[in-house]
Amino acid sequence: MQHCDNTRCNGLWRNASCLTTQLPGFNQKNARLEVGPAPYTAPAADQIVVRNRAVAVNPLDWIIQVAGTVAYRWLTYPTVLGSDTAGEVVEVGTAVTRFQVGDHVLGHAVGTDKDSNSAAEGTFQLYTVLLERMACPMPDSLSFQDAAVLPLAVSTAACALFQRDQLGLQHPTLSAEPTGQTVLIWGGSTSVGSNAIQLATAAGYQIITTASPHNFDYVRSLGATTVFDYQSPTVVADIIAELSGRTCAGAVAIGTTSAAACVKIIAACTGKKFVSLATPPASFAPLADGGRSRLTFARIMTQFVTKSVGLQFSSRVRRVRTKFIFGTTLKSNDVGTAIYRDFLPRALADGRYLAAPEPNVVGHGLHDVQRALDIQRKGVSAAKVIVTLD
Ligand SMILES: NC(=O)c1ccc[n+]([C@@H]2O[C@H](COP(=O)([O-])OP(=O)(O)OC[C@H]3O[C@@H](n4cnc5c(N)ncnc54)[C@H](OP(=O)(O)O)[C@@H]3O)[C@@H](O)[C@H]2O)c1
């Protein structure tokens, strides 16, 4: 493991410390993140460069690490993972008017996207290149560690709720009129769910959600009107009963067991017959935890295919449409600007939008990021795993 200090070069901050990972073969020992040197990359016209002060860890990061042979296969290695950052702007592209050097921003980095495939756009390093339209100014009241909980979860929730190819709900505003419709958000205490509840509430919808009982007050504090325990044997019937007499605007399914349950509920209710799917149908976690054998891999892929086919069959029979969310697609449509430019800056500034879930700061410095991935993979409850980078 190698550690480099930042140096200054040609008037630019040179990024000399990054995390890289190698593509792990599924039958090989898991490749852990390493800290090493990386070049500073200047922004394109529509980009900014941020000196990261706090970064968050998402399931996506360890999924790519343990399942890189099937997930995000296009990535070239070594790469820099990480989607969520909060920090200071150090350089802006020539077309950027919304930000200046020194501004505090939070942003969703999209380096792992196929059309980016760019280590410079990962957040597990000191300097990250961000698309201007995927960044949001931070109010003074917000700390970096609080702000870093938001970006990917906000983006994923926004894609699910507002994109026309997903639920296509009306956009959030600071003073939304009630629509009289209800959205089901299965998995309200996840990071994505916490933000889906807030965004849909701000768009004028009532929210039915699920969580473990110890998180009932938490999801209600974000705006959920009714909450059910997703582990209850009667949860599907209970939610169908709760939705009786209401118009449902569709569902966002978060969590490995969520899709089948949401399809059954939406099929039984009046309203939009659509379920946005956030979670793959099988967990890749067993590939870490010493289970990187061909057998484990084959078992997971079999589950993946079987459950996907089962869900397709079940949703067709019930005439419910489903679609998987890709949490970065808003970068190329009107939802990105509706959230990161028009809604979130003011909603955060006036305290109507909360940085949720709570940050759980597990480390300080790039060397702690691998540990942070391990902690996230083992499971969190209404919390975001954060590493600060002072
Ligand atoms: N498609 C995309 O672009 C995209 C982007 C981001 C995330 N995701 C996926 O979205 C999911 C959530 O990600 P995240 O970062 O928000 O998760 P997270 O915060 O790590 O999720 C932790 C929460 O999951 C809840 N949970 C566990 N099992 C559940 C189940 N069966 N049903 C409902 N909730 C359950 C727990 O709730 P309690 O503690 O209350 O029990 C816990 O609070 C993951 O599957 C992730 O891979 C997809």
Side-chain angles (χ1 to χ4, degrees):
M1 193 168 278
Q2 183 188 4
H3 181 72
C4 302
D5 294 327
N6 290 327
T7 55
R8 227 177 148 95
C9 175
N10 296 331
L12 293 174
W13 283 104
R14 185 164 284 273
N15 190 9
S17 190
C18 80
L19 280 174
T20 61
T21 182
Q22 294 162 353
L23 178 65
F26 61 78
N27 58 352
Q28 293 171 355
K29 191 171 179 298
N30 192 359
R32 308 286 283 174
L33 299 179
E34 290 176 24
V35 180
Y40 176 95
T41 303
D46 63 344
Q47 293 175 326
I48 60 177
V49 180
V50 172
R51 168 53 168 93
N52 302 319
R53 295 295 176 190
V55 296
V57 169
N58 288 286
L60 174 67
D61 302 314
W62 58 258
I63 289 173
I64 292 176
Q65 184 174 49
V66 303
T69 49
V70 288
Y72 290 71
R73 295 176 64 146
W74 53 80
L75 284 180
T76 47
Y77 290 78
T79 191
V80 180
L81 300 177
S83 304
D84 290 336
T85 183
E88 295 145 14
V89 176
V90 293
E91 193 176 357
V92 300
T94 52
V96 173
T97 55
R98 206 162 53 106
F99 298 109
Q100 294 180 342
V101 171
D103 286 353
H104 289 189
V105 297
L106 60 94
H108 179 177
V110 294
T112 52
D113 270 12
K114 195 171 190 176
D115 60 357
S116 301
N117 188 11
S118 159
E121 294 176 69
T123 60
F124 296 162
Q125 56 190 332
L126 297 184
Y127 295 89
T128 295
V129 176
L130 288 180
L131 287 170
E132 180 268 358
R133 59 187 178 279
M134 295 291 278
C136 167
M138 282 170 52
D140 293 342
S141 54
L142 206 57
S143 67
F144 290 125
Q145 65 189 50
D146 284 342
V149 307
L150 289 170
L152 177 63
V154 166
S155 291
T156 307
C159 291
L161 296 169
F162 306 121
Q163 280 188 183
R164 280 183 281 274
D165 63 339
Q166 296 281 349
L167 295 190
L169 306 187
Q170 71 177 33
H171 289 178
T173 67
L174 293 183
S175 53
E177 291 293 320
T179 60
Q181 296 185 27
T182 302
V183 182
L184 169 62
I185 295 167
W186 187 288
S189 60
T190 63
S191 291
V192 175
S194 301
N195 285 281
I197 291 171
Q198 293 195 79
L199 288 171
T201 301
Y205 296 84
Q206 294 205 313
I207 312 298
I208 292 179
T209 194
T210 69
S212 289
H214 68 273
N215 284 323
F216 279 14
D217 286 344
Y218 166 69
V219 293
R220 285 195 191 105
S221 76
L222 300 174
T225 25
T226 321
V227 53
F228 294 89
D229 180 356
Y230 60 85
Q231 286 176 314
S232 158
T234 58
V235 62
V236 169
D238 293 345
I239 295 177
I240 290 171
E242 179 67 25
L243 277 165
S244 168
R246 301 195 198 197
T247 303
C248 186
V252 183
I254 310 162
T256 39
T257 59
S258 61
C262 286
V263 166
K264 282 183 198 156
I265 294 165
I266 291 300
C269 297
T270 305
K272 184 156 186 165
K273 304 284 182 194
F274 197 103
V275 179
S276 287
L277 308 172
T279 302
S283 171
F284 289 105
L287 280 178
D289 305 329
R292 300 181 65 73
S293 67
R294 283 178 191 277
L295 195 63
T296 309
F297 186 81
R299 206 182 62 237
I300 290 169
M301 292 317 294
T302 306
Q303 264 184 27
F304 197 92
V305 172
T306 315
K307 288 190 177 174
S308 299
V309 171
L311 182 68
Q312 265 203 355
F313 179 75
S314 148
S315 53
R316 280 208 183 157
V317 166
R318 293 180 166 87
R319 297 178 187 274
V320 174
R321 283 190 299 140
T322 61
K323 186 165 183 183
F324 196 73
I325 308 154
F326 206 78
T328 56
T329 45
L330 77 172
K331 73 181 183 186
S332 312
N333 59 47
D334 59 325
V335 175
T337 46
I339 300 300
Y340 283 105
R341 189 193 61 195
D342 300 340
F343 173 70
L344 200 54
R346 286 167 61 209
L348 283 172
D350 75 6
R352 284 181 212 212
Y353 201 95
L354 302 176
E358 281 284 308
N360 175 16
V361 179
V362 301
H364 308 281
L366 293 172
H367 288 93
D368 286 330
V369 175
Q370 178 63 62
R371 200 161 55 82
L373 261 68
D374 297 340
I375 291 169
Q376 188 347 286
R377 178 169 47 75
K378 286 183 179 136
V380 297
S381 181
K384 194 90 188 179
V385 176
I386 297 286
V387 175
T388 59
L389 302 175
D390 291 337

